[in-house]
Amino acid sequence: MSYLRNTWYVAGLADELPADRLLARTLLDEPMVFFRQPDGRVAALADRCAHRFAPLSMGRLCDGGASVQCPYHGLRFDGSGACVHNPHGNGVVPKAAVVRAWPVAERHGLLWLWAGTAPADEALIPDLSDVASAPEHATIRGYLPTACDYRLLADNIMDLTHVDYLHPTSLGNGSVSRARAVVTDLGERSVHVAWRVSGEVAPASFDPHLPTPGQPADQWTEATWTAPCLMRLDVGATPCGAPREQGVRVAALHIATPETAGRCHYWYWSARSFAIGAEANARIRPLIEHAFVHEDKPMLEAQQRRIGDAGFWDLKPVLLNGDAGAVRARRKLDALIAAESNP
Ligand code: FES
Ligand SMILES: [Fe+2]
């Protein structure tokens, strides 16, 4: 499968990787092992020893995280992938005893892996600081491995007309289906789609928190896709005509990274401007997670089973109004991947 290479992919939440852990995770068809080095920086190595190909993730961290020891015959590799210890014979390290290493950056509470051969450019990491810096009791985040092509997640978030059908009792109230989607191109790596309605009472999750509950409100649902598969969703309501800051807002990240052709890693991370507190978080979390775990994930996986190995465009998908943003995102990603293979 062709993936965009010279780009950052989210590899995990920063707190998925404590100092003493070897984290095995396959990204872009490559089994990798992640660990924290003594200075806290994260290393990502091919999870396949250079000697007899044992998974390094079955081994153990040595020297306070400076190296990982292969579980089979004890070679040790440092964060650059170089073998730094050979317990056999005269101890000389064979030249070929090297495993691939990928650059990793830690930013906005996430681990980012640079998948290309061009120099890693941290300036290309999207700015997610507002979500990352929200109070803990205003945020809900989690990891949901999903057996579907990562691009189905972009379709899911960029075409929210599904909420009225897939989430009729929780997220859907008909307002997205009634609103016209306005799609805006944001350069070659990003697309924005907005659904806005005015003059309706906001849904029950927002209305009681507005300064004028029960009154008509301006409401917005906006999704921004950034290549390869990072979606930011901004949803909110404010009294009619009032600035957004007087209303209530949720900013939610939905991030998918390919694991293999038919599987992806999915992280969600939302930050509310209201109902901040441990009790509110405990009440809201299961409602949100129910939709992802019991409604979106089964649908995405069922879609993938029907699609199988076929190419998405080869199946000639019917296009509807609400698809415009999702289709634009797919085409942009296709173009970016094609540009890398035909520079
Ligand atoms: S397989 Fe790793 S040292 Fe032999
Ligand atoms: Fe959904």
Side-chain angles (χ1 to χ4, degrees), residues 171-194:
L171 308 177
N173 71 346
S175 63
V176 168
S177 294
R178 282 196 300 279
R180 197 172 63 87
V182 178
V183 178
T184 310
D185 253 342
L186 302 175
E188 60 177 16
R189 307 178 73 89
S190 194
V191 176
H192 182 263
V193 54

Side-chain angles (χ1 to χ4, degrees), residues 48-56 69-77 87-88:
R48 191 176 75 177
C49 179
H51 175 228
R52 287 294 180 273
F53 318 121
L56 296 175
Q69 177 173 293
C70 178
Y72 205 179
H73 313 94
L75 290 183
R76 287 184 192 175
F77 299 88
H88 305 282

Side-chain angles (χ1 to χ4, degrees), residues 9-339:
Y9 285 90
V10 169
L13 302 171
D15 52 19
E16 288 184 276
L17 190 61
D20 53 354
R21 174 151 185 227
L22 288 168
L23 174 66
R25 188 158 276 171
T26 295
L27 306 185
L28 307 119
D29 300 322
E30 303 258 16
M32 300 179 187
V33 58
F34 295 81
F35 59 94
R36 280 190 192 275
Q37 301 170 91
D39 62 2
R41 283 183 310 120
V42 174
L45 302 183
D47 193 13
R48 191 176 75 177
C49 179
H51 175 228
R52 287 294 180 273
F53 318 121
L56 296 175
S57 59
M58 291 171 66
R60 66 182 183 88
L61 277 174
C62 298
D63 317 317
S67 66
V68 54
Q69 177 173 293
C70 178
Y72 205 179
H73 313 94
L75 290 183
R76 287 184 192 175
F77 299 88
D78 71 9
S80 74
C83 180
V84 290
H85 177 66
N86 172 10
H88 305 282
N90 61 4
V92 172
V93 171
K95 260 209 174 68
V98 177
V99 295
R100 182 170 177 190
W102 286 266
V104 178
E106 185 166 348
R107 181 89 57 92
H108 311 312
L110 295 164
L111 304 177
W112 301 81
L113 179 122
W114 180 261
T117 47
D121 181 357
E122 295 196 16
L124 295 176
I125 294 176
D127 182 5
L128 310 175
S129 49
D130 60 337
V131 175
S133 63
E136 188 62 26
H137 291 320
T139 61
I140 293 170
R141 60 176 175 272
Y143 167 57
L144 198 59
T146 303
C148 76
D149 183 301
Y150 67 111
R151 291 165 294 189
L152 292 182
L153 247 308
D155 287 349
N156 177 277
I157 301 297
M158 296 300 284
D159 177 7
L160 289 171
T161 57
H162 81 266
V163 298
D164 296 331
Y165 298 90
L166 195 57
H167 315 297
T169 57
S170 52
L171 308 177
N173 71 346
S175 63
V176 168
S177 294
R178 282 196 300 279
R180 197 172 63 87
V182 178
V183 178
T184 310
D185 253 342
L186 302 175
E188 60 177 16
R189 307 178 73 89
S190 194
V191 176
H192 182 263
V193 54
W195 296 265
R196 300 188 185 108
V197 292
S198 197
E200 295 182 15
V201 175
S205 49
F206 288 154
D207 181 62
H209 303 284
L210 284 170
T212 52
Q215 297 300 308
D218 292 338
Q219 299 169 54
W220 63 93
T221 301
E222 298 175 353
T224 309
W225 167 87
T226 302
C229 203
L230 187 150
M231 283 71 67
R232 178 193 168 105
L233 198 53
D234 288 283
V235 186
T238 195
C240 278
R244 288 188 173 185
E245 295 68 44
Q246 290 182 19
V248 290
R249 304 181 302 287
V250 179
L253 307 174
H254 295 266
I255 304 168
T257 295
E259 178 179 2
T260 59
R263 301 186 62 86
C264 67
H265 305 284
Y266 169 34
W267 294 272
Y268 51 88
W269 187 337
S270 70
R272 300 183 305 281
S273 70
F274 60 99
I276 298 168
E279 183 276 328
N281 234 29
R283 182 168 39 79
I284 294 169
R285 175 187 294 279
L287 304 177
I288 300 282
E289 291 186 338
H290 177 88
F292 300 160
V293 174
H294 297 291
E295 295 172 345
D296 286 302
K297 178 180 157 89
M299 176 55 72
L300 292 160
E301 294 183 338
Q303 278 180 286
Q304 185 62 51
R305 287 194 293 275
R306 286 292 179 267
I307 294 169
D309 297 332
F312 177 80
W313 297 116
D314 298 336
L315 291 174
K316 303 207 178 343
V318 167
L319 303 183
L320 303 177
N321 253 348
D323 297 334
V327 167
R328 195 89 59 98
R330 270 190 185 263
R331 296 228 157 100
K332 281 183 192 288
L333 183 60
D334 289 347
L336 289 166
I337 292 171

